[in-house]
Amino acid sequence: MAEVINMPRLSDTMEEGVVAKWLKKEGEKVEEGDILAEIETDKATMEFESFYEGTLLHIGIAEGETAPVDTLLAIIGEEGEDISELLKGGSDSSKESKDSSKEKEVKKEDSSEKETKESEETKEEESSEDNSNEGELPEGVEIITMPRLSDTMEEGTVAQWLKKEGDKVEEGDILAEIETDKATMEFESFYEGTLLKIGIAEGETAKVDSLLAIIGPKGTDVSGIGSGKTAAPKKKSSSSDSDSKEEQTEETSSNEDSSSKTHSDGKRIFVSPLAKKMAEDKGIDLSAVEGSGENGRIVKKDIESFKASDKPDAKAKDSASPASEESKGGARPYVPAGEESFEEVKNSQMRKTIAKRLGESKFTAPHYYLTIEVNMEVAMASRKQINELPDVKVSFNDMVIKASAMALRKHPRVNSQWTGDSTKIASHIHMGVAVAVEDGLVVPVIKFADQMSMTQIGGNVKELAGKARNKKLQPSEMEGSTFTVSNLGMFGITEFTSIINQPNSAILSVGAIVEKPVVKDGQIVVGNTMKVTLACDHRTVDGATGAAFLQTLKSYLENPVTMLA
């Protein structure tokens, strides 16, 4: 029977998705776990796997097209199967979805009450089922459900099982890697025993609290467990079957479930998802790996056997770079003088979300800006002395973060949030640090920054910035900021203003250190100064409060030794 696949919700804020690329065509054979398409969400471009096998009978959203979540994406079934009724149903479903959205907006209150009532009834039913199931559990058997690994997580995908059915499990062992709406995280076992059953296969997605696994004494019969509220896995397999399937997926699959990476000569790299992940973890450049799979596809064993000495000579690679750049058509096409022309670039989902959230901040919070110029002579000398110590590296940005954190301790009103009915003043100081990434901007958080040394802050910033650029940030590492610092000084920008990162009340914009004539003791001398601009939310921070904060910040930066007191 044909299976309908809808546009998935790949993040908690995703309302629509763009099909960046189809990796399968209509009429092609599809195996369970094959990459069907690359879908662009509001946060990233993600590979979307098939949970079914058969033939791709219909593509509902063409490459480059945008569609709301739950719109008909594709249909998979048996070759030659009649899907006319499903196509009609998919069209009706999309229409009903749009009508339903409009109705929800008009009757939001009634809908909320109805959903609350249904939710309570469902919980009661699930509770009674849980109780009945618990009563039937054999002695020593523990049920493990899909965990909620972030506050916004509604479902999770098992990226990889690190234990197989029949394996011995100790308390604290990593059972699996689970992909949430924000990151891929390791999941530990809180029990010891034998892994009796895997409820969600690798690559499958399931709701929070769905049956994930069963652990208990070896040989215990658990065949009757999981038939209640939690759906049984679509495909059960023994450990030997799992091994053979993994080997088949890694070595003999002919599908093109590869990343969109290319060699320096412009040739596409074919790589399995597992091999791609292993290469990222080990820092291996895929263009340097020879694939042993079909069509030169890189598989797990290629990454495991790769040695640094196998890497091509760096000079040879560099010498080929300019030619490869030209072959990719990096230069824009020639436009004759006097001719008007536009290049239309489709907005990514991340760009749309940035536009939406920063627009809300700018048009909701009444911004005002305060700028002050700081003499950085002593700070430059202090930094030079600090960095002469072995294994110590402190940047000017680290000094600014430390100074800001200490200034917030003296001016807590700046460390606040507007909630409408009240103003929340945080007693803790968590510094958000704006980091530019390929697709936009993220803000990892340095927690309790006022209690850290500049060296500790520098280490944390470097680690989090690296994770951000490699898309490895955990949800907890991006939550809870009370103040944000944005630094464009390294680009030579001397002064700029930022939009407040809600729900913060302020954000500090840091410019470059500039060598210029200054007046000192009545004489004109060469000095080094830096401008910083504080954007404040006037609902929580008055002008005098913001000015006092900047004065304190300036005193710390001009006399860094006071930050050590």
Side-chain angles (χ1 to χ4, degrees), residues 88-228:
K88 183 180 177 183
S91 175
D92 293 342
S93 175
S94 298
K95 185 178 179 182
E96 286 171 15
S97 177
K98 291 178 182 177
D99 293 341
S100 176
S101 297
K102 291 179 182 177
E103 189 175 346
K104 281 181 182 176
E105 290 176 6
V106 177
K107 302 180 180 179
K108 188 176 181 181
E109 187 174 340
D110 292 342
S111 177
S112 299
E113 290 175 2
K114 184 178 178 182
E115 285 174 7
T116 303
K117 186 177 179 181
E118 288 175 352
S119 176
E120 289 172 355
E121 290 173 355
T122 303
K123 286 179 181 176
E124 288 175 5
E125 290 173 6
E126 290 176 351
S127 176
S128 63
E129 285 179 19
D130 287 345
N131 291 336
S132 63
N133 282 341
E134 285 174 8
E136 298 170 3
L137 284 180
E139 186 177 351
V141 170
E142 298 290 349
I143 301 290
I144 301 174
T145 58
M146 175 66 76
R148 187 183 298 277
L149 298 174
S150 78
D151 56 335
T152 57
M153 178 178 170
E154 295 178 355
E155 60 183 16
T157 300
V158 178
Q160 182 181 5
W161 278 103
L162 302 179
K163 295 285 184 180
K164 299 174 185 175
E165 286 187 3
D167 282 0
K168 184 73 176 173
V169 178
E170 298 291 336
E171 185 177 346
D173 284 357
I174 306 298
L175 283 179
E177 293 180 352
I178 296 178
E179 184 179 327
T180 73
D181 55 341
K182 295 181 178 177
T184 300
M185 306 172 72
E186 294 179 337
F187 179 60
E188 294 183 4
S189 171
F190 302 114
Y191 309 106
E192 61 179 38
T194 299
L195 182 55
L196 302 173
K197 180 176 181 178
I198 289 177
I200 305 171
E202 275 190 12
E204 285 192 351
T205 300
K207 297 286 185 184
V208 169
D209 294 333
S210 297
L211 175 64
L212 179 65
I214 300 176
I215 291 177
K218 188 174 182 180
T220 305
D221 181 16
V222 294
S223 57
I225 301 176
S227 57

Side-chain angles (χ1 to χ4, degrees), residues 423-496:
T423 297
K424 294 168 65 176
I425 300 175
S427 56
H428 56 279
I429 295 172
H430 293 348
M431 303 292 293
V433 182
V435 176
V437 294
E438 184 179 355
D439 299 322
L441 185 75
V442 293
V443 184
V445 180
I446 310 294
K447 297 187 175 178
F448 306 105
D450 59 317
Q451 301 170 23
M452 294 183 180
S453 66
M454 284 183 278
T455 308
Q456 289 173 319
I457 289 172
N460 274 273
V461 169
K462 189 176 293 184
E463 179 185 359
L464 291 172
K467 284 185 176 182
R469 294 186 181 105
N470 293 323
K471 299 182 181 179
K472 296 282 186 180
L473 275 177
Q474 299 296 303
S476 59
E477 294 170 327
M478 295 183 281
E479 297 171 349
S481 69
T482 60
F483 185 88
T484 306
V485 172
S486 179
N487 192 339
L488 293 178
M490 67 285 292
F491 298 107
I493 305 300
T494 57
E495 182 180 358
F496 68 102

Side-chain angles (χ1 to χ4, degrees), residues 318-357:
D318 289 343
S319 64
S321 294
S324 64
E325 286 299 316
E326 288 178 10
S327 67
K328 291 178 186 177
R332 292 183 180 277
Y334 171 72
V335 178
E339 182 177 314
E340 295 182 350
S341 176
F342 290 95
E343 179 187 1
E344 189 170 315
V345 179
K346 203 160 190 175
N347 292 324
S348 68
Q349 296 301 104
M350 177 177 275
R351 290 248 60 89
K352 290 178 183 177
T353 301
I354 290 172
K356 179 182 177 183
R357 293 183 179 175

Side-chain angles (χ1 to χ4, degrees), residues 195-421:
L195 182 55
L196 302 173
K197 180 176 181 178
I198 289 177
I200 305 171
E202 275 190 12
E204 285 192 351
T205 300
K207 297 286 185 184
V208 169
D209 294 333
S210 297
L211 175 64
L212 179 65
I214 300 176
I215 291 177
K218 188 174 182 180
T220 305
D221 181 16
V222 294
S223 57
I225 301 176
S227 57
K229 67 166 183 171
T230 305
K234 291 173 187 173
K235 193 170 183 180
K236 285 175 60 181
S237 59
S238 64
S239 62
S240 61
D241 291 338
S242 178
D243 289 343
S244 64
K245 181 178 177 182
E246 180 180 333
E247 194 69 24
Q248 180 183 355
T249 304
E250 284 295 325
E251 295 183 22
T252 64
S253 174
S254 62
N255 63 355
E256 298 179 352
D257 53 339
S258 61
S259 70
S260 55
K261 294 179 178 290
T262 57
H263 284 288
S264 58
D265 60 359
K267 186 179 178 182
R268 184 178 177 185
I269 299 174
F270 294 91
V271 54
S272 74
L274 179 59
K276 178 184 174 184
K277 184 177 185 302
M278 290 174 65
E280 288 175 352
D281 292 341
K282 294 183 178 183
I284 296 174
D285 182 2
L286 289 171
S287 64
V289 181
E290 289 294 329
S292 61
E294 190 173 346
N295 297 322
R297 188 165 173 266
I298 299 171
V299 294
K300 178 182 176 183
K301 67 179 183 181
D302 299 323
I303 301 299
E304 290 176 334
S305 61
F306 178 78
K307 296 176 184 177
S309 57
D310 297 337
K311 225 172 186 177
D313 183 60
K315 290 182 180 178
K317 186 177 178 181
D318 289 343
S319 64
S321 294
S324 64
E325 286 299 316
E326 288 178 10
S327 67
K328 291 178 186 177
R332 292 183 180 277
Y334 171 72
V335 178
E339 182 177 314
E340 295 182 350
S341 176
F342 290 95
E343 179 187 1
E344 189 170 315
V345 179
K346 203 160 190 175
N347 292 324
S348 68
Q349 296 301 104
M350 177 177 275
R351 290 248 60 89
K352 290 178 183 177
T353 301
I354 290 172
K356 179 182 177 183
R357 293 183 179 175
L358 293 186
E360 288 173 354
S361 175
K362 183 69 174 177
F363 302 129
T364 302
H367 286 52
Y368 70 92
Y369 306 93
L370 301 170
T371 301
I372 198 168
E373 195 166 15
V374 182
N375 185 344
M376 295 296 288
E377 290 290 338
V378 179
M380 292 173 71
S382 299
R383 176 176 176 266
K384 184 178 179 181
Q385 290 179 331
I386 293 170
N387 287 343
E388 285 174 354
L389 297 172
D391 302 321
V392 175
K393 183 73 174 177
V394 172
S395 69
F396 289 114
N397 197 52
D398 303 332
M399 299 176 83
V400 171
I401 292 171
K402 176 65 175 176
S404 299
M406 295 187 68
L408 286 172
R409 182 62 64 202
K410 291 191 174 183
H411 305 278
R413 192 82 188 181
V414 182
N415 198 45
S416 62
Q417 299 176 7
W418 174 264
T419 63
D421 294 329

